[in-house]
Every structure is written in structure tokens, then in C-alpha cells.
Amino acid sequence: MKTISRRAALGLAAAMLMVGSVGAVQAAALVQVSLWDKGASAEMPTGLAYATPGLDLTKATMGIKVSPGAVKAGEVTFNVKNDSKDTVHEMIVMYMADPTKPLPYVDAEKRVDEDKAGDKGEVSELDPGKSGTLTVELKAGKYLLICNVPGHFGAGMWAEFTVDP
């Protein structure tokens, strides 16, 4: 049986700890996202877009649940599931340059102008029951996760998300 010196064993243990801690630092934050609605037959309300005066989200028939609602800056992986039984949804990560202002909206198309809004990535058009993943590098700040299928954002399908320094 071969033996190694105490010094070699300590060196090996230190190297293993360093590799383990580097791996932990580099691991992406994991965020679970559920895209939900009350069914295609439910009447889709309007006027529930982010930053709308007098916003009453209790009237929403669709939305986005996110857990956790905040992570540290760096690589973030979003595991997105469309929990709808009959409606296609998507999830787009939007950086909020000014969280007090609404996102640029195109009324005629009933959707957010993604190019002007600060789109950081998306899991696009998930069929009911399907899942997708998005990994992005995010800096500290306020973000909004939205569904930009026409009418869905205005019906309340968005969630605030924070990235801490």
C-alpha cells in the first residue's frame, strides 16, 4: 500500500477546497418561473401593465410567478414552465433603466417594444405544458419579466425581479 506524506495530503486537501469554492462562485443563480393563466375562455382584462396608475392585479387572469424574486449579480439561469392548459406564453427579461416609468408600449400591436425596452434575453413562445431555459449575465438593478404575446403584458403578465450587487 502506498502512502503519501502529511504535507502532500494537506496540499491535496487545500487544492480540493479551492476547486470546490471556485465552482460554487461560478455557479449560476437558479430562478424558477411559472407562466400561468385562468384558461383561454377567461376574459382578458386590459390596463394592468407595469406602472399603470391605479393598478389592481386582483383582476389579472394571467401572470408570472418567480422564485426567488432577487439574486446576486452575475450569471442567472431561468427555468421557465408554461403552466397554461391552452395558451402559448413566453418570458422576456427586461432591464428597467428607470423603474418608475412604464416600458415603451406599441398600442396598435398590444405589446412592449422589445428593442426600445432593454430586452436581455427570452424563452420564446412555449406551448402549454412546455418548459425552456435561459441563462444570462445580469448586472445589479431592477428587471421586469414579461410575456409579450399580444395583449398578455397589458393583462398583467409580468413580474418584478431584482439583481443585487
Side-chain angles (χ1 to χ4, degrees):
M1 173 184 260
K2 279 192 169 185
T3 59
I4 60 174
S5 72
R6 179 176 154 86
R7 181 178 289 177
L10 288 173
L12 180 60
M16 289 172 64
L17 281 172
M18 285 175 49
V19 168
S21 65
V22 168
V25 169
Q26 292 177 349
L30 189 58
V31 179
Q32 301 298 328
V33 179
S34 168
L35 309 175
W36 64 270
D37 62 59
K38 293 183 179 178
S41 62
E43 186 176 331
M44 193 179 334
T46 58
L48 299 178
Y50 178 79
T52 301
L55 186 64
D56 181 4
L57 284 178
T58 62
K59 296 178 182 175
T61 58
M62 55 182 59
I64 297 177
K65 292 179 194 164
V66 58
S67 178
V71 297
K72 293 276 187 197
E75 192 172 87
V76 180
T77 297
F78 295 91
N79 284 340
V80 183
K81 180 156 191 237
N82 182 357
D83 287 316
S84 175
K85 302 265 187 273
D86 52 16
T87 305
V88 171
H89 292 300
E90 65 184 2
M91 187 223 49
I92 304 173
V93 179
M94 298 284 188
Y95 175 69
M96 304 288 292
D98 182 350
T100 64
K101 292 186 179 174
L103 293 175
Y105 195 75
V106 182
D107 286 320
E109 298 175 13
K110 295 186 178 182
R111 55 188 294 281
V112 171
D113 185 329
E114 294 173 25
D115 294 331
K116 291 181 181 174
D119 180 349
K120 295 296 178 192
E122 67 183 86
V123 175
S124 61
E125 292 149 9
L126 288 172
D127 287 331
K130 299 295 181 186
S131 297
T133 301
L134 170 68
T135 300
V136 289
E137 188 78 23
L138 297 178
K139 64 181 183 177
K142 296 287 185 187
Y143 293 80
L144 210 56
L145 308 181
I146 72 166
C147 177
N148 210 21
V149 171
H152 292 195
F153 175 74
M157 198 156 187
W158 53 268
E160 296 173 314
F161 185 71
T162 303
V163 177
D164 295 321

